[in-house]
Amino acid sequence: MASSITSKPFLGATKPNSSLSPDLQRLSFSSLRISIKPRTHKKLQIQAAGSTFGNYFRVTTFGESHGGGVGCIVDGCPPRIPLSEADLQGDLDRRRPGQSRITTPRKETDTCRIYSGVSEGVTTGTPIHVLVPNTDQRGHDYKEMSIAYRPSHADATYDMKYGVRAVQGGGRSSARETIGRVASGAIAKKILKLFSGTEVLAYVSQVHQVVLPDGSVDHDTVTLDQIESNIVRCPNPDYAEKMIAAIDAVRTRGNSIGGVVTCIVRNAPRGLGSPVFDKLEAELAKAVMSLPATKGFEFGSGFAGTLLTGSEHNDEFYTDEHGRIRTRTNRSGGIQGGISNGEIINMRVAFKPTATIGVSLIFFSCLFVSYIV
């Protein structure tokens, strides 16, 4: 049943002038009559958005670890770009689980299919739908998780937020969500390569206490073949062996360790990024920090830059032989003022130790706590 509220005259308004006609008196009187419905208390509505990234090139990922499949929808891809499933499969094969003894043992082919947005080998400018079916679902492996939260996983927080969760494999919090990122990233890399010759490369620069020394990888010349030459994807063979040994040492004990990935972008167009909230490094930080297990992000000199003075940290400008303005050093990491300056963009992302480990004590302590609570 509706109710009515009549306000007092506001802002010191006077009563109607009696000399005015009744109609004008009603128009000049500064009271308000508001009809409202009775207020009812409703349960908090949970906003479940958050699977889309980007403005002009927009990527939405979908799917769960042990559901029917995972993938992405890419909106904003220019038309007439040559594109096939083979263009995506190479990067998906690099991401594929079960490749070596230091990765997850899950066996998946991760074969992709493009269902829309491509016709006769070229993009049409409409949304591109990519799907990768799950073929090694093992939901029964997670039956205990219905009564216990795994330490440092998203089980508890998903329950806290949504009141429901995908018990099998963690659902959207699983690393299989990254398949959609890899597929869409392969498309983006192709566009950037055609547009400006841009290359994006990433390699492992630290595993636990094995740290690749600064300057040991030449960012001007390092190649994908060098990165892919070993199972840990470190372009320095000597340090790659040390990293593999460190992983094997804890893996055989049923434990895990974390590490750092360095990513570089060569030939990035100048002028990318916008002040102030859309600075390029801010957008990159959001993109990489939304990856599973990320715990830290550094750009350019990063935290080490705090140990330098201003004169030590500044990147001096000069004009190269082609008349282009360059910097002699690159402590800014290729971005100044939130805008790319044409130098190599470099960033580092820290990943925590894998939370899924083989130490049985962890599971039983988790199970015990769940019963107490």
Side-chain angles (χ1 to χ4, degrees):
M1 178 178 180
S3 60
S4 297
I5 298 177
T6 302
S7 75
K8 296 179 180 179
F10 58 74
L11 298 180
T14 58
K15 293 183 178 180
N17 190 329
S18 59
S19 64
L20 297 176
S21 67
D23 289 338
L24 289 177
Q25 287 181 21
R26 284 194 296 272
L27 289 174
S28 64
F29 185 50
S30 301
S31 12
L32 299 176
R33 182 174 294 273
I34 306 172
S35 294
I36 61 172
K37 294 182 179 180
R39 185 174 180 178
T40 57
H41 296 284
K42 295 183 178 180
K43 291 183 178 179
L44 178 65
Q45 298 297 307
I46 302 298
Q47 299 299 317
S51 293
T52 299
F53 180 82
N55 296 313
Y56 302 105
F57 185 89
R58 293 175 61 85
V59 176
T60 301
T61 68
F62 63 83
E64 297 178 340
S65 176
H66 289 267
V70 290
C72 65
I73 295 175
V74 177
D75 198 6
C77 180
R80 301 183 302 280
I81 302 292
L83 187 69
S84 68
E85 290 157 350
D87 292 320
L88 316 183
Q89 197 60 54
D91 282 329
L92 287 171
D93 287 345
R94 294 175 60 223
R95 198 222 74 94
R96 181 172 50 83
Q99 297 184 47
S100 71
R101 66 181 185 273
I102 65 173
T103 66
T104 174
R106 180 170 175 171
K107 300 294 183 182
E108 292 280 359
T109 61
D110 283 355
T111 304
C112 71
R113 291 287 305 274
I114 298 176
Y115 285 93
S116 68
V118 176
S119 177
E120 297 182 354
V122 297
T123 59
T124 61
T126 57
I128 299 172
H129 174 201
V130 182
L131 175 66
V132 173
N134 290 329
T135 59
D136 189 25
Q137 302 100 320
R138 291 175 291 170
H140 59 276
D141 289 353
Y142 298 86
K143 59 184 178 182
E144 294 91 350
M145 300 307 124
S146 62
I147 58 173
Y149 296 138
R150 295 170 295 174
S152 292
H153 286 73
D155 303 341
T157 50
Y158 271 51
D159 252 353
M160 292 172 188
K161 181 175 178 68
Y162 300 110
V164 64
R165 62 188 169 96
V167 173
Q168 294 80 11
R172 288 290 286 164
S173 67
S174 166
R176 280 194 71 72
E177 180 272 337
T178 62
I179 283 178
R181 303 181 192 229
V182 172
S184 58
I187 299 172
K189 284 200 302 181
K190 182 157 192 176
I191 295 171
L192 289 170
K193 187 73 172 179
L194 291 171
F195 176 74
S196 56
T198 302
E199 292 181 281
V200 181
L201 296 171
Y203 61 89
V204 175
S205 54
Q206 178 179 339
V207 170
H208 200 220
Q209 298 178 359
V210 181
V211 183
L212 200 59
D214 290 339
S216 59
V217 175
D218 187 344
H219 287 173
D220 288 309
T221 60
V222 65
T223 66
L224 180 61
D225 287 341
Q226 290 175 320
I227 296 170
E228 292 291 312
S229 64
N230 54 77
I231 59 175
V232 79
R233 293 193 169 115
C234 173
N236 184 301
D238 294 335
Y239 275 84
E241 289 301 320
K242 295 177 183 178
M243 292 176 181
I244 294 170
I247 296 171
D248 282 338
V250 296
R251 181 181 60 87
T252 55
R253 299 197 302 268
N255 218 330
S256 65
I257 48 179
V260 175
V261 171
T262 295
C263 179
I264 63 171
V265 183
R266 293 193 293 232
N267 298 321
R270 297 181 176 191
L272 298 179
S274 301
V276 292
F277 294 110
D278 293 335
K279 291 180 178 180
L280 183 55
E281 65 262 50
E283 296 285 6
L284 292 172
K286 181 176 182 180
V288 298
M289 288 301 292
S290 62
L291 288 166
T294 51
K295 287 299 179 184
F297 177 80
E298 281 190 320
F299 186 82
S301 62
F303 291 105
T306 63
L307 303 176
L308 304 178
T309 63
S311 59
E312 292 171 327
H313 192 274
N314 287 345
D315 294 321
E316 179 185 348
F317 288 108
Y318 74 101
T319 303
D320 67 13
E321 64 273 17
H322 303 292
R324 290 169 58 89
I325 296 176
R326 301 285 304 278
T327 60
R328 296 191 186 280
T329 54
N330 191 24
R331 299 183 186 92
S332 298
I335 299 176
Q336 293 173 327
I339 299 171
S340 59
N341 64 3
E343 302 296 336
I344 293 177
I345 295 172
N346 68 80
M347 67 198 93
R348 292 171 298 284
V349 189
F351 290 85
K352 69 176 183 177
T354 306
T356 302
I357 57 179
V359 182
S360 59
L361 178 62
I362 299 297
F363 168 72
F364 286 114
S365 65
C366 175
L367 188 64
F368 179 66
V369 170
S370 71
Y371 279 122
I372 293 176
V373 174

